[in-house]
Amino acid sequence: MSEMIARRSVVRGVGKSMPARILTNAEMETMLETSDEWIVQRTGIRQRHIAGAGETTSTLGLAAARAALANAKMQPADIDLVIVATATPDNTFPATAVEIQHGLGISHGFAFDMQAVCSGFVYAVATADMYLKAGQARRALVIGAETFSRILDWEDRTTCVLFGDGAGAVVLEAVVTPADAGDDAPGIIVSSLRSDGAHKDKLFVDGGPSTTQTVGHLRMQGREVFKHAVAMITDVIDDVLAKAGVTVDDIDWFVPHQANVRIVEGAAKKLGIPLEKVVVTVDRHGNTSAASVPLALEHAVTAGMIKKGDLVLLEAMGGGFTWGATLIRW
Ligand code: UT7
């Protein structure tokens, strides 16, 4: 009888790209009735990056993809699946992922966008994992890329101080692993995804091709989102821990969506994860929606925090509402 085998999606590389232009809280004070003190106390954000002329979601995503490929010591030709998580595509269509695929100089395989707003990267990682495990692709670029500065109402201080632009990416490779290898073998262990459209009006964009024929602006009832965030985050995390048969003490690094440091600390406290294991980068780039988890991940890997063999927990929550978590053995 032949040995039972399965495929695991192993992370081979990480990369990022940020616009050069930095907008500090101090500069925001000159634009609106706000203060560095309010923004830092309520959110932990100190600055955000803003895309300049010629910079778009696809140019940032392409640069992040190239950085992740270099980190993985791979070539564009090695990739046969590109998924871009974004709520701010270059155009209504074609998909930004197809533009990035073309920018990489490849025309084999397939590419598509994933729309789950701030949860987009976790959704995209979970989706790529399914294609890789099923043998439908061998190496995937999963990119979170956003230019939220282009959909903000710059006169609304309750939203415009919170968001920023940027892109992060990972390379995943399907690796044949004995089916009974257990959770010590490297790769994605399990994901949990959720959504509930009843919460649409708490966080949405008031335009679109089929309604207003305009792009629209982001609208958010921040306090309402905040009220639901911790419960939703802990719900999917409890689910992945139970499915994997591990406890919260087994987690080496918690890499959450970077929207607000108070939400991150609230979730960590409720779960019982010590703050030394929590990756926080929201101070330097604000809420970059689908780019935030790969940006935090890239930071933790390149800073030498996440090491081979570590158990890494990703989490995100955002518009829809959508929310999700992924557990990865590094
Ligand atoms: O990516 C996933 C989705 N997004 C989130 O996770 C965001 C979730 N929400 C939050 O992070 C928080 O609710 C916010 C940071 C948006 C707001 O913090 P808050 O502690 O919930 O404040 P608040 O909305 O209750 O506002 C408190 C006060 C208000 O004044 P009054 O009504 O108490 O007089 C606001 O008008 O702060 C005022 N305020 C500001 N003041 C200075 C709102 N925005 C600003 C500002 N600067 N930029």
Side-chain angles (χ1 to χ4, degrees), residues 57-58 86-91 96 115 145-151:
T57 296
S58 74
T86 188
T88 46
D90 284 21
N91 296 92
T96 299
Q115 164 60 291
E146 302 277 19
T147 45
F148 263 48
S149 66
R150 306 252 158 89
I151 57 163

Side-chain angles (χ1 to χ4, degrees), residues 122-123 190-195 229-243 271 313-317 322-327:
V122 173
Y123 267 59
V190 67
S191 299
S192 178
L193 303 179
R194 295 291 316 281
S195 64
V230 171
M232 288 179 163
I233 291 164
T234 50
D235 161 57
V236 277
I237 290 175
D238 286 342
D239 190 41
V240 292
L241 296 179
K243 281 179 180 154
L271 289 156
L313 177 63
L314 312 184
E315 158 278 308
M317 181 265 171
T322 55
W323 63 110
T326 296
L327 196 60

